[in-house]
Amino acid sequence: MFRRLFFAAAVSITLGAGGVHAQTLTMLVSSGGSGRTFEAAAKHFSAATGIPVNVIQNPYAEVREKQLLELVGKTGNLDVISVDGTIWMPEVAPFLDPIDEQTTDTKHLIPSMVDLFRADGKLVALPVRIAGWVLIYRKDLFDAAGLKPPTTWEEFRFAARTLTKDGVYGFAPALRQGNYLVVQWIPFLFSHGGQILNKERTAAAFNSPEGIKATQFFVDLVRDGLVPPGATAYEQSDIITAISQGIAAMALTYSPYFLNMNNPKESKVAGKLAIAPSLPRDPATGMTTGRTLISGWGFGVAASSRNKKEAHQFIQFVASDAEQKRLAVENNNAPTASAVYKDPDYLKVFPAAADVQGALASASDRPLVESWTMIEDILARELSAAVTGTKTVKEALDAAEKAVNAAL
Amino acid sequence: MIIASRTVVPKASSRRRTRRLLSSDNSLPYLLLVPALIALGCILVVPLIYNIWLSFHEYNLLRPARNTFVGFGNYLKVIQDPAHVSSLFLTVRFTAITVLAEVILGTSLALLLNLPFPGNHFVRTLVLVPMLISEVVAGLSWRLIYHTEFGLLNYLIGLFGLSPQVWLGPDLALPSVMIVEIWQHTPFVTLIMLAGLQTVPRELLESSMMDGASRWQRFRYVVLPLITPILLLALVFRTMFTLRVFAPVWVLTGGGPADSTLVIGVDIYRAAFRYYNLGIAATLSIILLAVTLAITLVYMRLLRREALT
């Protein structure tokens, strides 16, 4: 109780410092690309409605921690709550004001994104930014070697092996122990027909023949020297650097990073990159394409907010077609409104948008369980042991299965 | 009347006692301590008691309604979990190696800086710079230095014909993190030791020189015994701070690869702020406090023995 009060007081002081007055909406957002996007959205909303929005940017982990303490303490200091897909959903969903789907238009939004923010059948947030993992490749190197974007994992391995030469590695993954490693592995698991948990979400399902095959394939890329030697310490930002500096031919990463990699000011290979229309698949599974990982940010309204009406107005504004288009064109936001992907203005700044939408057509998110963070840390530890050769794939997955089942 | 006199008399006497206490020379220092003691109580004792209370409860922030008293249950859970136990041992090993290196390097640097040479003051300032940098900033800078493909360190060793190393990989991650810790905190030991060296009376050194003592003998039999209490003080401080190391490990490796750099500071952070399991986090921090206290008590005993001899 003391700790909660202490944190609540600290956050209240921070929020109060912004000169909050009645009807001002207050929200915490993760700093960086998403923070800048949401800050722009808040300005557009204030200009359109006259309602001020106080957007406070904090590092990702702090937003999660502070929001939760405010919500648990029912302080009413926060009106709009940012939700990082299924990772944060189980924690914050019980404290969010349900969105009435009879009166709120959600049909213009990508359905799988809307589904991310449902808890017990109730919609509690609207998607405002997509985070989908796509296969980015060096078109110039592929063309020179007579290769096509891989449609199966064997083709992927062949391309990686062919292109690993002259200081270039076939594939740049993020393998540092942590969230990065787990989200890097998940598309491999999904596209080999594997699942993280069983359907009831009561037990681990990744230690299946499909899961073992996927993980062995993933680990072999490292053991066969098809990834940069330092990749075991790579985070997401290192993938951008590896591609931008021309030392890697492929990356399976978060779609908006394509814009950084393709930016002539930051990248040596701008204009030489493309996005594969789908992820590779394992033909033995009968899948027609690979299945990738999708997540994204949503905005919900705190049940303890004193400005619920205005807060609902704000989240609907940010999720609207017009605002999604504006944020996509001006702030590189990955839009959640389907229509934007066909918009000529957006295609002008992001010609690969159609490929992104295609690649994300077959996608799932992490399972919605309260203990996800713990499961993620277990998987990170064991996958790290497998990619660094401390354990065999079998040993790592056996240990992970046992620990995940205990955590569930 | 009797009742009245009974009640009035003690009041008057207690007032007199208070007045006497205030006017007495002995009591004033204690009274002046009161505000500091209250402040200390609020920021130190209350959280400590609360932490101990938490360690006896199953307390998860996500399920505040289901918090129950579990006695020593959390302590048993921690002791039976090999991951927590190995993080504790790793922390002790990390502390022993880094503190020893810091003390040897810091004392050597202090001895060098105690010699008169041109630019001495400039070098003294330069040596202190790592200590002034924020731990997170230092960690991020070292991440760039250690980068296998684009880092400065591999570039430099490449000039000598050596092949690039994966500094934050499974074999070298722990020594790499230790180097950052040593680099950042050696100046603290240097600073303390330099102050200690300046208290060594010049006459003693001069008379030992006249007696024909070599440079090593002067250090071993004159300087070292005089600066030992200061050395122990540096050891106490560095041990206490290193046992709770967090930022450089978190920034450089996040505890990996495969938990090979999982110190107890990172373990506590994970329990508290990733799983919101405040009961386990409090238990781990109480165990860390006990280990710190035990080591500090050994040092203090040594220090007292030194002072007596």
Side-chain angles (χ1 to χ4, degrees), chain B residues 160-181:
Chain B
F160 297 97
L162 297 169
S163 54
Q165 299 295 315
V166 186
W167 298 104
L168 299 174
D171 303 323
L172 296 173
L174 187 63
S176 299
V177 178
M178 282 176 174
I179 287 170
V180 176
E181 180 73 8

Side-chain angles (χ1 to χ4, degrees), chain B residues 56-68:
Chain B
F56 290 113
H57 287 76
E58 193 180 311
Y59 193 106
N60 193 306
L61 209 55
L62 295 176
R63 299 181 289 273
R66 278 186 268 159
N67 298 320
T68 48

Side-chain angles (χ1 to χ4, degrees), chain A residues 160-356:
Chain A
R161 197 167 281 152
T162 308
L163 299 175
T164 300
K165 59 181 179 189
D166 308 327
V168 177
Y169 293 90
F171 180 53
L175 304 177
R176 179 180 139 145
Q177 186 178 342
N179 161 275
Y180 337 93
L181 173 53
V182 180
V183 295
Q184 185 70 83
W185 166 78
I186 289 174
F188 283 82
L189 176 76
F190 284 171
S191 299
H192 278 84
Q195 295 287 347
I196 301 172
L197 300 182
N198 63 3
K199 270 188 188 158
E200 298 75 31
R201 286 173 282 173
T202 51
F206 51 77
N207 199 9
S208 59
E210 295 84 11
I212 295 169
K213 192 175 178 186
T215 313
Q216 192 64 59
F217 181 88
F218 185 68
V219 169
D220 285 346
L221 293 172
V222 183
R223 297 208 181 144
D224 295 347
L226 307 181
V227 309
T232 45
Y234 276 17
E235 293 180 358
Q236 313 267 34
S237 58
D238 295 303
I239 299 181
I240 300 177
T241 313
I243 294 283
S244 304
Q245 295 299 312
I247 67 153
M250 289 186 280
L252 206 171
T253 191
Y254 179 46
S255 64
Y257 290 160
F258 179 84
L259 297 165
N260 300 80
M261 296 170 180
N262 215 26
N263 181 351
K265 285 181 194 157
E266 297 172 19
S267 173
K268 286 183 183 172
V269 296
K272 296 176 180 171
L273 298 167
I275 293 177
S278 65
L279 247 55
R281 69 197 164 93
D282 177 7
T285 60
M287 296 164 88
T288 51
T289 66
R291 192 156 53 92
T292 194
L293 172 67
I294 194 167
S295 186
W297 286 99
F299 282 170
V301 174
S304 53
S305 162
R306 285 181 283 268
N307 306 304
K308 280 187 199 165
K309 196 175 139 228
E310 293 79 7
H312 277 287
Q313 200 181 335
F314 174 70
I315 66 170
Q316 284 174 34
F317 173 86
V318 184
S320 67
D321 276 345
E323 185 60 14
Q324 280 293 306
K325 178 187 166 182
R326 191 171 175 185
L327 294 175
V329 173
E330 293 175 11
N331 298 84
N332 294 340
N333 189 48
T336 54
S338 312
V340 183
Y341 288 90
K342 294 182 190 82
D343 190 284
D345 293 335
Y346 182 50
L347 288 170
K348 206 189 284 174
V349 293
F350 192 15
D355 288 328
V356 172

Side-chain angles (χ1 to χ4, degrees), chain A residues 5-91:
Chain A
L5 284 174
F6 174 77
F7 275 112
V11 177
S12 304
I13 290 165
T14 319
L15 302 180
V20 181
H21 56 80
Q23 242 205 13
T24 294
L25 297 177
T26 304
M27 66 183 301
L28 280 164
V29 295
S30 175
S31 43
S34 55
R36 285 192 293 276
T37 302
F38 301 148
E39 195 123 31
K43 272 187 199 144
H44 302 157
F45 176 73
S46 300
T49 61
I51 301 170
V53 185
N54 182 22
V55 179
I56 301 163
Q57 291 200 37
N58 272 192
Y60 177 90
E62 278 176 39
V63 174
R64 177 177 174 237
E65 185 184 311
K66 287 180 179 171
Q67 274 194 165
L68 194 69
L69 289 160
E70 288 288 331
L71 291 172
V72 173
K74 296 189 176 85
T75 61
N77 286 327
L78 293 176
D79 302 295
V80 179
I81 300 298
S82 44
V83 188
D84 182 11
T86 49
I87 309 177
W88 291 7
M89 265 294 282
E91 299 166 6

Side-chain angles (χ1 to χ4, degrees), chain B residues 241-252:
Chain B
F241 295 144
T242 313
L243 279 169
R244 53 180 210 218
V245 62
F246 170 74
V249 185
W250 187 249
V251 175
L252 283 166

